[in-house]
Amino acid sequence: MMARSRNIKPGFFSNEHLAELDFATRLLFIGMWTEADREGRLEDRPRRLKMALFPADNVDINSMLDDLDHLGFIKRYTVGDVKAIQVINWTKHQNPHMKEAQSTIPEMPVVEASEGKPDASTIQAPDSHSSFPADSLSLDSLNLIPDSLNPSPAPVDRAELFARFWKLYPRKVGKDKAEKVWAKLKLTQALFDQILQALAKHSLTPGWTKDNGQFIPHASTWLNGKRWEDEVDPPTNVHPFPAASRHEGFDKRDYRAGTKENANGTFRI
């Protein structure tokens, strides 16, 4: 397949969601546009993409594609024996030349749009491309950001929230790996609150409290598995308030109980 000329707009470089990805993955995303056909589809062949786009670099294309899929910039799918990739909202942001060959890759199975979401499908009908030449600018191609990410939620300070999470996580092992997983989360304040609430519940379970916590998973494992979504039953042997100390309440004790008072005002047993 011959590489093609495509559009790239300033909004690409300032998008906060793309900023979550490393430099090589962002470059891969751009390179994929030149490999995609007029429908924004290309074969899901990581080795071929590496040879086409990163022939001299040691990069993990498969993992990078997973990251792009996770954030909603592409969709990896399979139709029969064909593994393919669809660049999301391709036809809204690119104007392939009218003479480009028709796509030979099966289109992504379309889930029926629910009410109130008329724009759920990103697949444009065949032969409906503009007659503008490739690289022309249109009002619909001012950026290449999936509509599902706009408008974006209120920004959160990822570093500050991770520091709070790490301070509370009971097993301080593999901090670097945990930070990398944290960077890939679609983090919002609501999700962060959910994570902390779940962490508090997990911290009381027998699997986390026995044997000095040796069975507590690494934070990266816990985050990767989205364990905050687990249903955790609160332990029945944990009291909501600690037992009263035997060193407290001296002023409220009756030290005369069980004694008899003498005529001189003293007490005897």
Side-chain angles (χ1 to χ4, degrees):
M1 183 182 294
M2 183 179 297
R4 306 169 178 89
S5 181
R6 301 300 187 200
N7 294 327
I8 184 170
K9 302 299 178 292
F12 176 93
F13 300 99
S14 58
N15 181 259
E16 63 184 52
H17 300 284
L18 276 169
E20 296 177 14
L21 301 170
D22 59 55
F23 180 82
T25 305
R26 282 176 275 165
L27 187 59
L28 169 65
F29 188 35
I30 297 173
M32 288 172 65
W33 308 343
T34 67
E35 296 296 314
D37 61 27
R38 65 180 292 174
E39 301 293 346
R41 302 175 203 145
L42 62 158
E43 290 182 277
D44 192 343
R45 297 172 59 185
R47 287 187 179 181
R48 200 199 70 78
L49 279 174
K50 183 182 184 306
M51 292 305 299
L53 303 175
F54 294 92
D57 300 288
N58 182 21
V59 293
D60 185 348
I61 298 293
N62 193 58
S63 178
M64 292 155 70
L65 290 173
D66 280 343
D67 290 343
L68 287 167
D69 186 298
H70 176 72
L71 286 179
F73 290 100
I74 65 171
K75 182 62 180 177
R76 306 180 79 176
Y77 65 98
T78 302
V79 176
D81 296 329
V82 179
K83 293 183 178 180
I85 297 171
Q86 174 70 55
V87 179
I88 301 302
N89 288 332
W90 171 266
T91 55
K92 291 186 178 181
H93 308 301
Q94 294 291 336
N95 272 303
H97 197 282
M98 61 183 300
K99 292 185 179 180
E100 272 193 34
Q102 293 286 341
S103 175
T104 60
I105 299 174
E107 70 178 74
M108 183 173 66
V110 178
V111 178
E112 284 189 22
S114 58
E115 278 189 42
K117 294 183 179 180
D119 208 22
S121 172
T122 62
I123 311 301
Q124 185 170 335
D127 298 321
S128 60
H129 292 281
S130 166
S131 59
F132 289 109
D135 292 334
S136 65
L137 301 182
S138 70
L139 293 177
D140 280 341
S141 62
L142 294 179
N143 54 55
L144 223 158
I145 302 167
D147 289 354
S148 59
L149 299 180
N150 288 320
S152 60
V156 294
D157 188 336
R158 287 179 169 273
E160 191 270 336
L161 294 185
F162 177 79
R164 289 172 57 188
F165 166 79
W166 186 253
K167 184 177 180 181
L168 294 172
Y169 200 81
R171 190 173 187 185
K172 302 292 191 288
V173 177
K175 184 177 181 180
D176 288 346
K177 289 184 177 180
E179 283 186 295
K180 290 180 180 178
V181 178
W182 189 266
K184 296 178 182 179
L185 296 178
K186 295 182 179 180
L187 194 63
T188 63
Q189 186 61 50
L191 176 57
F192 178 73
D193 293 341
Q194 182 185 355
I195 289 173
L196 291 196
Q197 290 171 9
L199 183 58
K201 292 180 181 179
H202 278 256
S203 296
L204 297 176
T205 58
W208 285 39
T209 56
K210 67 180 181 181
D211 298 329
N212 296 319
Q214 65 172 323
F215 297 106
I216 299 174
H218 290 193
S220 58
T221 302
W222 194 80
L223 292 169
N224 249 331
K226 295 185 178 181
R227 300 299 300 277
W228 63 83
E229 296 179 350
D230 291 357
E231 294 184 9
V232 179
D233 294 325
T236 56
N237 60 343
V238 176
H239 298 283
F241 301 102
S245 171
R246 60 188 178 89
H247 300 295
E248 297 177 355
F250 294 107
D251 58 329
K252 297 179 181 178
R253 295 181 183 179
D254 183 2
Y255 293 98
R256 295 178 298 178
T259 64
K260 295 181 180 180
E261 187 174 0
N262 295 319
N264 61 1
T266 60
F267 296 84
R268 71 181 185 278
I269 298 176

